[in-house]
Amino acid sequence: MTTAATREASSDVILEAIRKHTQAGNPSSFLAMNTGNELFTLPDTDGIVVYRRAARHLVQFGGPFAAPDSCERLLTAFDRYAREQELRVVAVQLQRADAEIYARMGWTVNQMGASWAVGLADFTLRGTRFMQLRNKISRAFRNGLQVRETDIGDVREALAAIDAGWLADKGEHARPLEFLVGQTGGAAQRHRRLFVGTIDGAPVGYISYSPVLGARAGWMHDLSRRLPGGSPGVMEAINSTAIEVFRAEGVPWLHFGFTPFTGLDPAHELPCHSPAFAWLMSFLWEHGEDLYPARTQLAYKEKWGPDVMLPEYVAFRGQASPVSFAHIFRACNAF
């Protein structure tokens, strides 16, 4: 038996680890702070593994947040811990540096999608490239939208009503995604920023921004919701207001987070990748809108003219498994 311990994730322990170990520059690392995550550690080892259980799988988030000389030891112990319980490990949202560690250890590693970021130092919405975006934002403000940064305690009930309306608009079988998307509230809320749009004093939409640590530090455009119907351009206007605030503060980067099935390129694959799984990712980009609206998500991100695309990876112990891949979405509450 391994001597490792698992427990409900402690926000303080995770925050210390992701602040300390940012060598891979994972822009989504703050999602490790989500409530509902679990934590794996080893005695006398500098680092943690964050994961969720989904049926007979442990879905690991973001690679080990650990000192470079501890990553392989921690990952080996975590895999052993899973095997002792007859569980399988699948790791998601690995950065390139993480992916190379898994590859050295004999895992099958494939690109699963990409994350996107905009440099804010020279960002502007001027020019013909952003004409449609400017028009959409202007229309929202002409329709009475006002945007302000606020504390969640002032709008908690309004946010719950927006969430309920947003989810109802998705259909009766829609479920709110978890794990690989952010949250509002909880112990980590003090580290996030919240921008809310109102019309006639009533909140109609919001965007929550999570801190990005390490390489390309800044904020990540994370959880975003709006009431169905109403004025076009609400979310764009909220985000443009946040960008103005961030730029005034000297924030260098705004990240738009991970979108599966996007940015796929054979040049990003490692030698240990599965060609069949690479084909599956391309197929889901073309035909997987019912599983995840990747095209819609990417279209929104591309409106802002991202400067950087970062490939992100999924890793399997042994062969790439569609069953293990499906359990990533199960951990996300997609089904």
Side-chain angles (χ1 to χ4, degrees):
M1 283 284 293
T2 177
T3 59
T6 61
R7 58 189 181 275
E8 176 70 13
S10 161
S11 59
D12 291 339
V13 171
I14 292 178
L15 184 59
E16 180 183 1
I18 63 178
R19 280 176 169 168
K20 185 176 181 181
H21 303 300
T22 56
Q23 66 272 14
N26 189 333
S28 297
S29 62
F30 195 79
L31 299 185
M33 298 279 288
N34 283 358
T35 58
N37 290 344
E38 293 187 79
L39 192 63
F40 177 92
T41 61
L42 277 176
D44 303 318
T45 301
D46 185 9
I48 63 172
V49 168
V50 176
Y51 71 97
R52 288 197 184 191
R53 179 164 175 168
R56 304 302 301 169
H57 285 71
L58 302 184
V59 183
Q60 180 195 355
F61 169 72
F65 296 99
D69 59 356
S70 298
C71 285
E72 292 192 17
R73 179 169 178 251
L74 192 57
L75 183 55
T76 298
F78 181 59
D79 183 50
R80 185 186 307 119
Y81 169 81
R83 288 168 180 260
E84 288 169 352
Q85 301 179 80
E86 298 183 347
L87 303 174
R88 297 191 66 179
V89 175
V90 56
V92 66
Q93 277 203 251
L94 305 179
Q95 304 303 295
R96 180 71 185 207
D98 301 315
E100 291 174 354
I101 293 171
Y102 287 73
R104 286 199 305 269
M105 296 179 67
W107 293 54
T108 301
V109 182
N110 274 71
Q111 187 188 3
M112 183 179 164
S115 61
W116 311 79
V118 173
L120 296 184
D122 300 314
F123 181 81
T124 177
L125 288 179
R126 293 192 296 269
T128 57
R129 178 184 186 184
F130 296 109
M131 182 174 63
Q132 289 184 336
L133 180 56
R134 290 198 308 273
N135 290 341
K136 205 169 187 181
I137 292 168
S138 296
R139 183 176 177 184
F141 285 124
R142 287 198 305 270
N143 288 338
L145 182 74
Q146 295 184 320
V147 181
R148 64 187 176 94
E149 184 174 8
T150 187
D151 184 88
I152 193 171
D154 298 330
V155 292
R156 196 180 305 274
E157 291 184 4
L159 263 57
I162 291 172
D163 290 347
W166 172 86
L167 187 62
D169 190 55
K170 301 294 182 183
E172 63 176 316
H173 300 298
R175 303 160 67 96
L177 294 181
E178 302 174 355
F179 189 41
L180 302 186
V181 298
Q183 300 174 331
T184 56
Q189 183 61 37
R190 68 185 185 274
H191 302 290
R192 305 185 185 105
R193 299 178 73 168
L194 179 66
F195 287 77
V196 177
T198 62
I199 295 179
D200 296 329
V204 295
Y206 70 88
I207 302 176
S208 174
Y209 296 86
S210 297
V212 175
L213 309 169
R216 299 190 179 91
W219 293 94
M220 184 174 75
H221 181 307
D222 193 3
L223 195 64
S224 58
R225 303 272 170 81
R226 60 164 293 175
L227 288 175
S231 173
V234 166
M235 305 315 293
E236 290 85 351
I238 295 173
N239 192 50
S240 68
T241 301
I243 286 176
E244 291 175 6
V245 172
F246 297 155
R247 292 192 71 237
E249 295 171 349
V251 173
W253 289 93
L254 176 64
H255 296 259
F256 285 87
F258 172 64
T259 306
F261 322 139
T262 65
L264 301 174
D265 189 329
H268 298 320
E269 298 288 10
L270 292 160
C272 62
H273 78 281
S274 161
F277 191 83
W279 175 89
L280 176 61
M281 294 300 94
S282 296
F283 177 85
L284 290 174
W285 164 247
E286 294 291 344
H287 306 289
E289 198 71 7
D290 289 340
L291 178 61
Y292 187 84
R295 289 180 176 271
T296 303
Q297 292 291 315
L298 181 58
Y300 176 80
K301 296 173 183 183
E302 287 183 330
K303 288 181 183 181
W304 303 93
D307 300 298
V308 173
M309 186 277 289
L310 301 171
E312 300 205 7
Y313 297 84
V314 58
F316 304 91
R317 194 71 174 97
Q319 295 183 335
S321 164
V323 172
S324 296
F325 176 69
H327 279 79
I328 295 173
F329 288 89
R330 185 179 296 277
C332 294
N333 197 41
F335 51 82

